[in-house]
Amino acid sequence: QVQLVESGGGLVQPGGSLRLSCATSRSIFSNYAMGWYRQAPGKKRELVVRMTTLGSTNYADSVKDRFTISRDNAKNTVYLQMNSLKPEDTAVYYCTSGRWPNVNDYWGQGTQVTVSP
């Protein structure tokens, strides 16, 4: 019953920004890598970004230079700052945790991000 609780999704215009949050437990946060996946209807699930317990990051080419993952160790929370959003960013975004390199042993419930005029 590992919990990963996302928040912050919503509707935004192209070029806009959103910040997603993912709150989890200390045991998960300190022992496993964290990441964000997304899935749009009709598309494969995509790893957006992952972060090791030491803070090293990898971004998908599609979001590099636009999205930023960060963490608040005191709150056991990871964030995804999404800037310059495009319609193709529309998807359900999932906070994940787990073993490197897939970082998908545990999943949050997902939060919808819609980018549309």
Side-chain angles (χ1 to χ4, degrees):
Q1 295 184 337
V2 173
Q3 287 192 323
L4 300 166
V5 182
E6 303 103 327
S7 62
L11 175 64
V12 65
Q13 294 181 343
S17 298
L18 285 173
R19 190 179 77 158
L20 307 182
S21 299
C22 174
T24 188
S25 66
R26 187 184 67 172
S27 61
I28 291 295
F29 197 75
S30 62
N31 288 293
Y32 296 98
M34 302 293 297
W36 292 91
Y37 278 75
R38 67 183 181 185
Q39 187 166 33
K43 296 184 178 179
K44 294 188 296 184
R45 192 163 294 174
E46 175 187 23
L47 176 62
V48 177
V49 62
R50 56 186 177 175
M51 174 184 280
T52 70
T53 55
L54 297 177
S56 180
T57 59
N58 298 119
Y59 293 88
D61 288 341
S62 58
V63 307
K64 192 169 296 184
D65 300 323
R66 298 189 298 118
F67 291 11
T68 304
I69 190 171
S70 61
R71 62 199 297 153
D72 186 331
N73 294 330
K75 296 181 179 179
N76 301 316
T77 298
V78 64
Y79 304 94
L80 184 65
Q81 179 67 46
M82 304 184 295
N83 298 326
S84 302
L85 284 162
K86 305 173 180 179
E88 51 263 45
D89 295 318
T90 296
V92 177
Y93 283 72
Y94 297 91
C95 180
T96 67
S97 184
R99 297 163 295 171
W100 198 267
N102 291 334
V103 194
N104 65 0
D105 295 300
Y106 307 105
W107 293 75
Q109 81 284 356
T111 186
Q112 177 70 46
V113 172
T114 302
V115 184
S116 175

